[in-house]
Amino acid sequence: ADAAALRALALAYLALGHAARARAGASGDGLLPALGDALAVLAQDGSSDSLPVRAAAAQGFRALLVACASQEDGGEGPAGVVMETAVPILVALLSDGPAEARKPAALAAKTAAKLFPALTAGAHLAALVPPLLKVVKDPNLQTKLLSERALMHVLQIHTRPDTLSEFVAGAAAEDARFVRDYARRVLARLKADLSDEEED
């Protein structure tokens, strides 16, 4: 897929998020019924043989999470459904994808952790942290910095110190040592209050 096609695909995914939000508001039935078609498309693209298409799918998952957060009740129920589909795909991109795939995956993980910290630090903590620990060593500086902020939010460094302790308690020894040290040296020094515009 060429760059123009991928940009068009990313814009289409953003439109999916806006459309889902609009349909939910118009119907009064909540966001869950409106997510079905979008999640089906993203799940298929997220398992594509084309890495650029999988990377674009990460942008789509992020758009849906933003749509969930716009709901009057906070959207945690629909967000949980989105994350069940999204997290395995994001983990695969963070673990195996090239830089152009790792960056949107880290951004989606950061958005999930900022908007839905309880969901991210609960069922998905053990899945998201190890690949983010790998990507904070990325030679691409922009990807590295974004991954650091994603890890800061996933581990709730500034808001809930117990999250780091809970991850360390269940982590492999090497990951536990690294994340404790990295949290102290790097993550704790990151500003917690940057806007999305400044971070992205």
Side-chain angles (χ1 to χ4, degrees):
D2 61 28
L6 290 175
R7 282 195 296 272
L9 191 59
L11 289 172
Y13 288 151
L14 289 172
L16 279 176
H18 292 307
R21 181 170 53 201
R23 285 172 57 192
S27 68
D29 294 331
L31 188 59
L32 268 175
L35 286 175
D37 292 344
L39 276 178
V41 170
L42 292 173
Q44 181 175 351
D45 286 357
S47 59
S48 168
D49 290 335
S50 167
L51 273 172
V53 171
R54 288 163 60 197
Q59 298 181 50
F61 285 123
R62 180 175 183 254
L64 291 186
L65 289 168
V66 172
C68 290
S70 73
Q71 298 300 288
E72 289 184 3
D73 63 359
E76 190 164 293
V81 175
V82 173
M83 289 174 68
E84 285 296 325
T85 301
V87 168
I89 293 169
L90 298 179
V91 167
L93 287 172
L94 290 167
S95 301
D96 303 320
E100 60 268 25
R102 293 192 297 271
K103 181 181 175 182
L107 181 57
K110 185 206 73 173
T111 298
K114 286 185 72 173
L115 297 179
F116 302 101
L119 287 175
T120 310
H124 304 293
L125 183 68
L128 284 170
V129 173
L132 284 171
L133 290 177
K134 177 181 176 181
V135 182
V136 296
K137 305 172 187 176
D138 201 286
N140 181 291
L141 181 60
Q142 192 174 18
T143 302
K144 169 185 169 62
L145 294 176
L146 178 56
S147 299
E148 287 177 349
R149 295 202 62 79
L151 191 59
M152 177 194 73
H153 287 295
V154 170
L155 289 171
Q156 300 178 306
I157 295 297
H158 295 293
T159 57
R160 187 177 180 271
D162 285 349
T163 301
L164 175 60
S165 300
E166 289 164 4
F167 173 77
V168 166
E174 183 178 354
D175 282 347
R177 284 193 300 271
F178 179 80
V179 74
R180 274 197 303 257
D181 180 62
Y182 204 78
R184 176 181 56 81
R185 291 189 299 105
V186 178
L187 302 182
R189 300 184 180 187
L190 297 177
K191 292 182 179 179
D193 57 353
L194 290 182
S195 69
D196 278 339
E197 290 75 16
E198 291 174 296
E199 290 189 80
D200 303 348

